[in-house]
Amino acid sequence: MKKFMDEDFLLETKTAKKLYHEHAEKMPIIDYHCHLQPREIAEDKKFRNLAEAWLGAGDRYGDHYKWRALRALGYSEDSISGPDDDYKKFRQFADNMPKFVGNPLYHWSHLEMQRYFGIYDVINAKNADKIWNEANKALETLTAREMMYKFNVKTVCTTDDPVDSLEWHKKMREDPTLKVTVRPAFRPDKAINVELSWFSDWVNKLGEVVGKKIESLKDMCDALKERIKFFNEMGAKVSDHALDVVHYAPATYEEANEVFLKGLKGEEITSEEQDKYKGYILVFLGKEYSKVGWVQQYHIGALRNNSQSMLKRIGPDTGFDAIEDQVYMEKLSALLGELDGADALPKTILYCLNPRDNYALTVLAGCFQKEGVVGRVQVGTAWWFLDQLDGMKNNLETVMQVSLLSMTPGMLTDSRSFLAYPRHEYYRRLLCNMLGGLVESGQYPEEEMETLGHIVEDICYNNAEKFFGF
């Protein structure tokens, strides 16, 4: 019987072990999409205990994966995401860890204890108090920045609204003690979601930020140009879009402006009107990103805030999202095609939340490459509910089969937690095991091991550094 999560965890062959220990393990991390709070990095947050670091501060902000597991066990919401006692929340999670068998949380949680705290005990009720005490002792000096340094994190891209002042980013740029480059990422979802009730309020806020009342779509586009310029000056290299459903239809300015004005008035917006408005604004933004050399990311397929009772009780974006199943390839192709036809398609990463779409999205990405640009459009790593072993394996196999795995920019955390960096290790171990298996089974020659080692290093770090221009 193989030892539980030892140094060769997930590495099933001699070649896999060689690829991981000699190549992947040493590579730094670029976390080009996450939801860490810039303030916590700037202030070098010190966590009061393991519960806060592991599960959240009790303010409905924390690790949604862990919350969902505890909700499935029937615990009260206040003892999961809310203000209940920290030790109680920790014990609920630790005591029930054996019940998470087969869930990636089981592996992630043990990696977190091992890599951050040097705790190799199995997480269960018997060991809970020992783990609590040892981890809390370590957290006296293991601050947010130290957690990042422990994993050799070189660059982090946060997720920032266009109206954000980026005040914490400014402070970090001026802080000579910070050993990680923290860049903002432009997330203009609120400019795009014209059908939502808070659209008008957000547009007014944007007007306040740029010092000009926004009364037309042209006004908003001008304001967004100004904010893109500001983000670019603050070191941004990437934008990010939550395209839960892909909307696109060719539209004139007049048609899109008509929908924009309806959104300002809070009037009902049809799906066809969304196609025209969102298509227009996404094309506009893509062209602006192309001018400044940014990478745009499209995260496709989330069905958000499904529990109406919990939405009313604790608000949106608290772990009640699911997988959308609408078809969208034709509209996405038309959107990318319009930008491509105007020679204004920026580098683009496409993510799908529905595993059904892996092949279709990867093949579509291959239609929009460009001379002189490596992987201009490509599919990103397995995302959200799919960043577990099967989801990552399917994603990697699809990219290998119908694209080029060697050019992919690798893993990201997409996390709200500073304890999430072992997920990069999880991905790297699986990657090395899959590539090692090709060698061991005679599908890739052993004499190309040096090349394969370089490919692993590229996927883990070098590709992202080049692709984003870090």
Side-chain angles (χ1 to χ4, degrees), residues 10 102-104 107-108 355 358 381-383 385-398 426 430 434:
L10 298 182
N103 188 294
H107 292 155
W108 292 346
N358 266 330
T381 186
W383 169 50
F385 300 116
L386 303 183
D387 63 356
Q388 26 73 12
L389 290 177
D390 282 352
M392 290 191 294
K393 184 176 181 180
N394 290 338
N395 169 269
L396 291 168
E397 284 183 337
T398 302
Y426 202 53
L430 175 63
M434 293 176 67

Side-chain angles (χ1 to χ4, degrees), residues 400-455:
M400 281 194 286
Q401 296 285 347
V402 297
S403 183
L404 293 178
L405 181 64
S406 58
M407 70 179 184
T408 181
M411 187 58 171
L412 49 85
T413 62
D414 190 29
S415 177
R416 293 163 172 79
S417 173
F418 288 93
L419 293 183
Y421 289 109
R423 295 178 195 179
H424 280 263
E425 177 183 338
Y426 202 53
Y427 170 92
R428 292 175 179 188
R429 286 177 177 271
L430 175 63
L431 170 69
C432 291
N433 193 57
M434 293 176 67
L435 294 178
L438 295 178
V439 175
E440 299 270 345
S441 63
Q443 298 182 66
Y444 193 84
E446 187 176 6
E447 54 263 37
E448 290 286 6
M449 277 296 294
E450 183 178 354
T451 298
L452 201 55
H454 289 311
I455 288 173

Side-chain angles (χ1 to χ4, degrees), residues 32 295-298 347-351 378-380 409 467-468:
Y32 53 88
V295 175
Q296 67 176 5
Q297 299 177 95
Y298 287 170
K347 291 179 181 178
T348 301
I349 303 179
L350 308 171
Y351 306 85
Q378 56 184 291
V379 168
F467 189 71
F468 292 100

